[in-house]
């Protein structure tokens, strides 16, 4: 599946969240990640997030779709993160 993950975390946890999300998804811009991920890997990511997330202070929004093919992406202004994968 293809996901877009957006988060808003407290200042003390934001660096940890950034580092964790970079292991699973492509960084797009501040607090926004996207990419192909399996159900198992997404569940694993969420498990790690819940270990340090404060549910009364932090939030995560995950948009899911079957494939990136069904999404149109428009960037206006400077593109911060690259979603290209080089092998």
């Amino acid at each position: 599946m293809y996901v877009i993950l957006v988060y808003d975390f407290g200042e003390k946890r934001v660096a940890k969240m950034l580092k964790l999300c970079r292991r699973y998804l492509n960084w797009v811009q501040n607090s926004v990640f996207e990419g192909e991920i399996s159900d198992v890997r997404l569940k694993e990511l969420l498990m790690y997030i819940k270990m340090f997330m404060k549910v009364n202070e932090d939030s995560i929004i995950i948009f899911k779709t079957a494939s990136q093919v069904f999404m149109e992406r428009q960037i206006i202004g400077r593109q911060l993160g690259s979603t290209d994968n080089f092998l």
Side-chain angles (χ1 to χ4, degrees), residues 43-60:
K43 286 178 185 176
E44 181 180 282
L45 172 59
L46 293 173
M47 178 190 70
Y48 286 127
I49 290 170
K50 289 175 184 175
M51 294 171 118
F52 65 90
M53 178 181 184
K54 292 192 176 182
V55 293
N56 295 332
E57 298 176 26
D58 305 328
S59 67
I60 300 170

Side-chain angles (χ1 to χ4, degrees), residues 1 3 5 17 20 23-25 36-52 60 62 64:
M1 90 181 84
V3 301
L5 184 146
M17 183 64 175
L20 178 62
R23 289 181 19 208
Y24 291 86
L25 298 165
E36 291 286 338
I37 191 169
S38 69
D39 280 332
V40 172
R41 296 265 301 158
L42 181 58
K43 286 178 185 176
E44 181 180 282
L45 172 59
L46 293 173
M47 178 190 70
Y48 286 127
I49 290 170
K50 289 175 184 175
M51 294 171 118
F52 65 90
I60 300 170
I62 300 173
K64 299 178 186 179

Side-chain angles (χ1 to χ4, degrees), residues 68-74:
Q68 184 180 8
V69 174
F70 300 109
M71 293 182 59
E72 181 180 334
R73 185 173 187 227
Q74 180 180 9

Side-chain angles (χ1 to χ4, degrees), residues 3 10 14 21 23 28 33 37 44 49 52 75 80-81 86:
V3 301
V14 74
C21 287
R23 289 181 19 208
V28 178
F33 288 82
I37 191 169
E44 181 180 282
I49 290 170
F52 65 90
I75 299 172
L80 297 178
F86 294 101

